[in-house]
Amino acid sequence: MVIGYTKYRETSIITKIFTRELGLKSYVVNGVRSTKSSSKVALFQPLTLVDLVVYDKENANINRIAEIKSDSSFQRIPFDFIRSGISMFVAEIMGKVVYDNYQNELLFDHLRKQILTLDAEHYQPALFPLYFLISTSRYLGFEPEDAADFFLQLPVDQSGRIYNNKVQFLDQILESEDHSPPVIPGNAKRQLLDDWILFYKIHMDGFGEIKSLTVLRTLLS
């Protein structure tokens, strides 16, 4: 799955792709931004699921792709502005928690399932960012036992900023499935999302700020 890409020279890119067998790798793709090949850039948009044949050299910082094709074409994410905005958030989170050469098949399978869920026809994505952060924390090794445990791990000044019934709302989310989410007030959703971002900052060194969070809050307000 593609994390994203940066432009390289006049017509090329360097893309980061999280693979199931090799972990997170960087690949240079030549000529993909040329007039004749510009349509191929779509394969390197964030979260795109791809099948790869690669040249993998041990200890190489950047490798090359021999063959690439779509593994599962999105039907809704690129065309639904809410899902598209959520995908930007998910890709940014992935770029912060998956590091170079990190290989975790269980995490890969989980992320792939999450991406396909976001693209599913009847899925209601309003709580997807929270479900994504909560479920992914399990594979990263710091899932809280329950809402009380979660808030105990936050700084006092943050956990003390309690919205009415916020602990109860989080417990409802933790105990529910993402295909049958509870009804959560908008203010509580925004605060819980901020709390979970802080939770990740506590547990992941160098996590930093989430640039897509402002857009996400607007979409889900």
Side-chain angles (χ1 to χ4, degrees):
M1 62 191 67
V2 178
I3 303 296
Y5 73 84
T6 56
K7 295 178 181 178
Y8 177 65
R9 295 181 176 173
E10 188 173 347
T11 61
S12 303
I13 63 172
I14 293 177
T15 181
K16 283 186 174 290
I17 300 180
F18 186 36
T19 71
R20 193 173 193 272
E21 290 80 14
L22 301 173
L24 180 64
K25 293 287 185 177
S26 295
Y27 300 99
V28 61
V29 187
N30 293 325
V32 75
R33 292 168 45 234
S34 66
T35 303
K36 292 181 179 180
S37 302
S38 58
S39 61
K40 294 182 180 178
V41 174
L43 285 172
F44 301 97
Q45 298 302 312
L47 303 192
T48 303
L49 301 174
V50 292
D51 279 332
L52 295 170
V53 177
V54 302
Y55 303 107
D56 187 64
K57 295 182 179 180
E58 189 175 357
N59 299 322
N61 292 326
I62 300 178
N63 289 282
R64 292 185 179 274
I65 296 172
E67 299 176 21
I68 184 171
K69 62 180 181 180
S70 173
D71 174 48
S72 180
S73 298
F74 291 145
Q75 302 300 312
R76 290 158 197 89
I77 289 176
F79 314 108
D80 181 323
F81 69 95
I82 292 180
R83 295 178 203 238
S84 180
I86 293 173
S87 74
M88 292 171 55
F89 171 79
V90 170
E92 189 173 0
I93 295 293
M94 288 171 56
K96 291 177 178 294
V97 302
V98 181
Y99 47 86
D100 288 346
N101 298 315
Y102 176 70
Q103 195 261 347
N104 184 327
E105 293 182 0
L106 292 177
L107 176 61
F108 178 93
D109 292 342
H110 161 71
L111 293 174
R112 187 179 189 279
K113 180 180 178 181
Q114 290 288 297
I115 293 168
L116 292 174
T117 295
L118 181 60
D119 196 56
E121 180 178 2
H122 298 295
Y123 181 73
Q124 298 299 316
L127 285 178
F128 182 89
L130 279 169
Y131 279 117
F132 174 79
L133 292 173
I134 292 167
S135 60
T136 302
S137 72
R138 180 181 313 138
Y139 296 89
L140 296 173
F142 51 84
E143 180 187 27
E145 293 182 8
D146 52 27
D149 177 46
F150 172 79
F151 284 108
L152 281 174
Q153 295 186 53
L154 297 184
V156 174
D157 60 338
Q158 183 75 9
S159 59
R161 183 179 58 84
I162 295 294
Y163 176 88
N164 289 339
N165 298 322
K166 189 166 66 169
V167 176
Q168 177 185 345
F169 288 139
L170 180 55
D171 264 332
Q172 290 177 15
I173 295 172
L174 291 172
E175 293 168 3
S176 67
E177 300 290 339
D178 58 2
H179 60 268
S180 57
V183 177
I184 307 294
N187 194 24
K189 282 192 296 186
R190 288 189 293 273
Q191 288 192 17
L192 286 171
L193 187 58
D194 289 343
D195 291 338
W196 272 92
I197 294 295
L198 177 60
F199 190 70
Y200 269 65
K201 289 180 181 179
I202 292 170
H203 289 278
M204 300 292 300
D205 291 339
F207 189 78
E209 299 301 318
I210 303 298
K211 297 178 181 178
S212 58
L213 191 56
T214 301
V215 175
L216 187 66
R217 288 195 189 103
T218 301
L219 291 173
L220 300 180
S221 60

